[in-house]
DNA sequence: AAATATATGGAGTAGTGACTTCGTTTACAA
DNA sequence: TTGTAAACGAAGTCACTACTCCATATATTT
């Protein structure tokens, strides 16, 4: 691939991340304009709009997985789990796409790459959960599916309701109280 | 209004409730076809698609408010609160529109009628919450905004993740543990 | 610096969906 | 039962958006 083509590809990805982050229904033209390229260039790099969306989705999921893996190395597994949870929910509030990505990652319909990225991210989160449970920071009878559902729900709830930071934190405090082991 | 016009209006509302319940992006044609009328008839009763969506939204919110008011008469305020919460989340799983309605009701942008309906429904829910707190079934330091956010989040999470009934109940068990007063 | 393969952007094409027009039909009053 | 105002549906208009074509421009190789 020629150097200018590679540059443009990166610019398009960044623009798509931004544009679709605000509204997944945005048009391909919007992405092209923000990236400063013609429409044709977008479609040369991503054959369909769906393919572009999936590329953005994959990127988001990989970033989340990386953060989870990074936190997994931490000394305090309980803190690591709750910090990851909090970060995901907080960012979803400003980046709609993250909440969408989380959802799509669990529901299929996405392409091969995105599916794999979703799997990787869920595995990393499962690792955080298991470690936190072993450390006694999360009740041991909570299973992955409902905890993941809680993560999705909290994200989408915070996003959809446009919660201010304070209310969001109070909501998370309630959620965390439900996750902590009975005293 | 002529009798046949009134009939058709009702048929359109029912069809819209069904169609938009499955996908809010559905077209007006779909609604007209399901209602068994021509497109023009839909637009004669509802000047824009938005107006039709708002009518459906209002209907949903009024139904939820009615159910909350009905439960408010119950002898056990704690049970009433949790039953309402559970019902809303369970139904959202099959009716996308409820989750959307809840969201929209808190975020503005909706028309006057829908806004009023949203207000009424939130007030009714607030009534359930306060009564449950007085009865000692919900921790007294939880405020309405975060509890409502939790309701929205649980609904949207269950809907988005397409949870099966069992996982959904386990998720709600975690949420309820966070809402109950510390022992 | 010339040759050439690679990339580019803007003007098209096709399909969809919200909304309108208008000739026809139907409910209702006299 | 007949007149008429109200309501109807089918076919259109218009705007928008995903996607394509092609003449032009640019990177790279020798």
């Amino acid at each position: 691939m020629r150097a200018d083509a590679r540059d443009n590809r990166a610019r398009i990805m960044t623009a798509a991340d931004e544009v679709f982050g605000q509204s997944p229904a945005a048009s391909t033209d919007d992405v092209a304009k923000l990236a400063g390229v013609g429409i044709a260039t977008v479609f040369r790099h991503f054959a369909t709009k769906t393919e572009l969306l999936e590329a953005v989705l994959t990127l988001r999921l990989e970033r989340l997985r990386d953060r989870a893996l990074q936190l997994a190395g931490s000394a305090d597994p309980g803190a690591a789990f709750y910090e990851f949870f909090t970060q995901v929910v907080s960012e979803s509030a400003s980046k709609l796409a993250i909440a969408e990505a989380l959802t799509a990652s669990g529901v299929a319909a996405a392409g091969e790459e995105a599916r794999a990225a979703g799997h990787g991210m869920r595995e990393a989160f499962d690792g955080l959960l298991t470690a936190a449970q072993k450390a006694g920071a999360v009740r041991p009878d909570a299973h992955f599916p409902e905890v993941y559902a809680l993560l999705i729900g909290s994200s989408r709830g915070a996003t959809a309701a446009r919660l201010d930071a304070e209310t969001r934190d109070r909501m998370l405090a309630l959620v965390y109280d439900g996750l902590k082991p009975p005293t």
Side-chain angles (χ1 to χ4, degrees), chain A residues 87-179:
Chain A
Q87 277 189 17
V88 170
V89 173
S90 303
E91 288 189 24
S92 294
S94 62
K95 288 276 180 184
L96 189 55
I98 291 185
E100 304 279 342
L102 289 171
T103 303
S105 86
V107 179
E112 201 45 51
E113 267 198 350
R115 200 186 337 273
H119 192 255
M121 126 76 183
R122 285 199 307 282
E123 262 189 351
F125 180 58
D126 196 12
L128 285 180
L129 171 63
T130 305
Q133 286 176 319
K134 277 204 177 109
V138 171
R139 52 195 300 168
D141 60 335
H143 300 102
F144 177 77
E146 59 260 27
V147 177
Y148 187 65
L150 214 47
L151 178 65
I152 295 184
S154 302
S155 295
R156 294 188 74 103
T159 309
R162 312 239 173 100
L163 298 185
D164 58 281
E166 204 184 328
T167 307
R168 188 184 66 223
D169 288 345
R170 279 211 296 267
M171 180 189 80
L172 283 178
L174 292 176
V175 171
Y176 294 166
D177 259 22
L179 283 172

Side-chain angles (χ1 to χ4, degrees), chain A residues 5-166:
Chain A
R6 200 188 313 275
D7 273 13
N8 277 335
R9 195 181 207 290
R11 297 246 298 275
I12 291 165
M13 282 285 289
T14 304
D17 193 59
E18 168 72 22
V19 169
F20 293 138
Q22 294 187 354
S23 162
S27 76
T28 315
D29 278 35
D30 292 339
V31 174
K33 281 205 183 87
L34 184 61
V37 301
I39 274 197
T41 301
V42 174
F43 281 99
R44 197 169 305 108
H45 286 287
F46 304 92
T48 64
K49 187 187 185 179
T50 302
E51 208 172 287
L52 175 57
L53 275 166
E54 280 178 6
V56 171
L57 177 65
T58 301
L59 187 68
R60 293 250 180 219
L61 290 169
E62 285 173 350
R63 276 189 202 148
L64 290 176
R65 180 207 53 199
D66 290 347
R67 196 169 315 161
L69 289 178
Q70 182 186 330
L71 281 166
S74 142
D76 182 344
F81 172 82
Y82 288 110
E83 187 173 333
F84 181 74
F85 202 112
T86 303
Q87 277 189 17
V88 170
V89 173
S90 303
E91 288 189 24
S92 294
S94 62
K95 288 276 180 184
L96 189 55
I98 291 185
E100 304 279 342
L102 289 171
T103 303
S105 86
V107 179
E112 201 45 51
E113 267 198 350
R115 200 186 337 273
H119 192 255
M121 126 76 183
R122 285 199 307 282
E123 262 189 351
F125 180 58
D126 196 12
L128 285 180
L129 171 63
T130 305
Q133 286 176 319
K134 277 204 177 109
V138 171
R139 52 195 300 168
D141 60 335
H143 300 102
F144 177 77
E146 59 260 27
V147 177
Y148 187 65
L150 214 47
L151 178 65
I152 295 184
S154 302
S155 295
R156 294 188 74 103
T159 309
R162 312 239 173 100
L163 298 185
D164 58 281
E166 204 184 328

